[in-house]
Amino acid sequence: MKATRYILMCGVMAIAFTLQTQVEDGALGYYNDALMFSQTNPLIGSTARMQGFGGAQASLGGDISVVGANPAGIGFFNRSVFSITPGLNFHSTDANYLGNATSSYKTNFNIANVGIVLNNTVGDVVKSKFKGGSFAISLHRMNDFQNEVRYQGRNDDNSIIDAFLEEAGTTDPDNLGDQAYSAYNNYLINPVYNGSVLEGYDAFTYGYPNQTETINTGGGQYQLNLAWGGNYNDRLYFGGALGINTLSYYRRRNFREDQYEPYDSLNSTQINDELNISGSGINVTLGLIARPAQMVTVGISYVSPTYYALNDEYGFTHRTSWNNAEVKEDGDLVTLTDIDYISDLSISNYNLKSPSKLTVGTSVFFGKFGFVTGDIEFVDYANAQLRSNDFNVNADNQTIENLYKSVINYRLGAEARLDAFRIRGGYSYMSDPFSNSEFNNGRRNLTAGVGYRQNDFFIEGAWVNTKYDSHYSPYTIVGSPQPVADIENRNTSVVVTVGFNF
């Protein structure tokens, strides 16, 4: 028996079945991690001010959020500041599987952003064109993995047992992967020999089942920033930041088949699996902001590839409940009832290099009445790369090149000022990262916000609504209709920023 990280039902969120043809033989599924951990979003780790107008901040300053987005914006500060941004996320999903609709939801509390800026400008009264700068430390959220999906429906075309048979092929039982071996151990598939030659596997007569699955995910990515930004003549701002990343992710799945009609010898088969990934990484961010005219700023920032060292642990249990079925083993009849299989715990270490990001943006100010701002972000997800001494990454790296592409993400927003009050609105879009997909995997965000600012204190709130579609297949079978859950994902986030100037 061979231990494997992913069981056969390695259904992938946000990947159409047609893309499976681009998955290289021997790929272990780490290409999914490469995309998931590379799709970071500056919007969700910003203050309420920045979230309120869509996260467009490449050409703005004077806010703690810019530490991780464009550290040149730190040069705008002329006072020291501390702020913290707690929030609530409300996740919900609607899944349609084999004509049956199922809904689910999940709520979590998080800290989107917290940090301090220590100002050391020399002031406008000094004749020097170099106005000094500020040092900043911040922690911001880069990714949110919280979600829950449930689906169910009667499958009149196939069962996961068909996938077990396909994976087993003509492999000797002692050499089967964990998933196929658990099916063999639970008598769902049986080796067929011609003398001493293994011809393949046969399956117990089972009929067509009702299928249900719950997928619960959680964790997130955070980045600790150590940054400095300077100001030259109030016309050119420049800065750099060292980013120290932490990552935690878990996924728990519960897949069950039962109600096998028209047969009743098999009551159910159920697989519970758990994947945990943790690690850390490091990157560098560099940025410039120029003011070519009094009412216009233009910014550019570059985030280097992030180099992660990751560890994952994977295991599953497989229980099959038989209705006193009888099978022959070594010439004797054996009565089957409940059978359990517990996989070995698979532990592996690997490295991930996420792609770099280049962002350009501009803002136009209308005196004391407000401004409009926009960003364009360039990312090539095909540049992500895996490395490991524990397993062969060649197939996964080739799959990354096959599946993913370069994209342009954009963010737009505006702020209106009414004395001490602020009103904000924005929109952002993360483009489809797949190179040949039959449906749009893009994510759109609608945002709104308000604020109240005084000389020494400010409080601001924001609302962010995120929506995207994904597809999920519990297992793959060649030459048979693929069971697919169509999932509508929605997330509503409410955050509040409280800050103090000193």
Side-chain angles (χ1 to χ4, degrees), residues 239-256:
L242 174 67
I244 302 170
N245 297 264
T246 60
L247 182 156
S248 65
Y249 170 80
Y250 70 81
R251 185 199 64 209
R252 301 185 182 103
R253 298 185 297 191
N254 183 323
F255 178 87
R256 178 182 174 88

Side-chain angles (χ1 to χ4, degrees), residues 113 150 219 260 487:
N113 189 293
R150 294 179 182 174
Y260 292 89
I487 304 165

